Amino acid sequence: MTAPPATGSQPLVESISLIDDTPLALEVAEDTRRRIALAGRRFPRPKETRVLTVSNQKGGVGKTTTTVNLAAALAQAGLRVLVLDNDPQGNASTALGIDHHAEVPSIYDVLVEGLPLKDVVQKCPDVENLWCAPATIDLAGAEIELVSLVARESRLQRAVATYLEEQEAGPGRLDYILIDCPPSLGLLTVNAFVAAQEVLIPIQCEYYALEGLSQLLKNVDLIKGHLNPRLHVSTILLTMYDGRTRLSSQVADEVRAHFTTEVLKTTVPRSVRISEAPSHGQTVMTYDPASSGALSYLEAARELAEQVLDDNEREQRQAHANRT
């Protein structure tokens, strides 16, 4: 069967879907529609730098993957973004192509030695407007070393505040700082909570991912009550979503029922491309920008960025996107 000629973006999507109505063809058509809608789109800048901690005490839910891909997506849309790799595994540094062997100045030196944050920040080689403060293996011992230090819970917060003051005096301020945390609630994570204003929680669409969430929320409330009054859970992202299973849908529905305003509409699917990208020292945004995983993170980044808009501005941007 021959598809009709396409003259614009909408006819192009329609022509693809007319070729075949199999699930694969429909998926290709949907990805094409999303790619056209997001191509070249610029995201709104927040009035001040948004500092978000990406945290979940359960491992394997996509914290690091979410951190680096949201950061890359925001940067590709014209925003200035810094990733703080606060996890001793250093996986965020690897995914961003940042050197983080033992001799490299890192977040460890900021937390324990008091080194200024500007002295450890490196530019991401693959994405414009994206920087990273790496983690080295030294960070594994920081939990113990921080115990005896003065103001041990707020050392990262002071470093970030000083860095932002220096940025304000420079050519351009940062729009976002994303902090990647280890899968625990130790002093490294506490430092991240104290340094941030917002918490972004990735939740895997499986039953076990819901366990421990209440404890994480209690810890956020404790930090808010004693150390950081501005801290709040602003965003929840559903990851590893498999639309073929009833379990994923049930978990997603349950999370949305409990967190009606915080959960992003976008879900991130299970994706081989997302898993492959770090082995090439890249995010999926540069490794395979046309993949469904990259498009999902780009849509999630758009939702995150548009949280700063009021309802009228959001409606105007949506109307403009529909026209184009």
Side-chain angles (χ1 to χ4, degrees), residues 147-310:
V147 170
S148 61
L149 298 181
V150 175
R152 60 192 180 188
E153 301 93 352
S154 58
R155 295 179 72 85
L156 184 60
Q157 185 273 332
R158 292 205 309 276
V160 168
T162 301
Y163 184 75
L164 290 177
E165 288 175 7
E166 294 167 348
Q167 287 285 311
E168 291 287 352
R173 67 167 172 83
L174 289 171
D175 296 302
Y176 285 84
I177 296 178
L178 301 181
I179 309 174
D180 186 34
C181 291
S184 66
L185 294 172
L187 277 173
L188 291 176
T189 302
V190 169
N191 264 271
F193 282 154
V194 175
Q197 296 117 30
E198 305 176 44
V199 181
L200 189 158
I201 306 176
I203 297 181
Q204 183 182 7
C205 290
E206 293 186 1
Y207 174 75
Y208 286 133
L210 296 175
E211 293 190 343
L213 183 58
S214 60
Q215 185 60 46
L216 174 62
L217 297 175
K218 287 178 183 177
N219 279 276
V220 171
D221 286 339
L222 282 172
I223 299 294
K224 182 177 181 178
H226 294 88
L227 296 168
N228 183 5
R230 297 182 65 187
L231 187 68
H232 65 284
V233 176
S234 66
T235 311
I236 294 175
L237 177 63
L238 297 168
T239 63
M240 303 182 193
Y241 182 84
D242 188 345
R244 300 169 299 179
T245 66
R246 184 177 298 175
L247 177 61
S248 283
S249 297
Q250 289 175 340
V251 172
D253 290 344
E254 188 170 343
V255 173
R256 293 186 195 282
H258 284 85
F259 304 95
T260 53
T261 59
E262 293 87 356
V263 183
L264 299 183
K265 295 177 183 177
T266 303
T267 57
V268 179
R270 287 190 177 276
S271 168
V272 173
R273 291 305 199 191
I274 291 176
S275 302
E276 286 177 347
S279 66
H280 296 268
Q282 297 182 59
T283 67
V284 74
M285 307 307 301
T286 55
Y287 178 67
D288 190 354
S291 66
S292 60
L295 292 171
S296 294
Y297 272 117
L298 191 56
E299 286 182 333
R302 175 187 58 78
E303 282 192 69
L304 178 67
E306 290 184 354
Q307 288 175 342
V308 303
L309 301 177
D310 60 32

Side-chain angles (χ1 to χ4, degrees), residues 62-73:
K63 288 187 299 298
T64 299
T65 301
T66 294
T67 302
V68 298
N69 285 299
L70 284 180

Side-chain angles (χ1 to χ4, degrees), residues 28-48:
V28 170
E30 175 62 15
D31 283 352
T32 302
R33 181 196 65 76
R34 295 162 69 194
R35 187 160 58 250
I36 291 169
L38 291 165
R41 192 162 180 178
R42 310 293 280 185
F43 296 165
R45 294 190 73 190
K47 292 184 175 65
E48 61 179 21

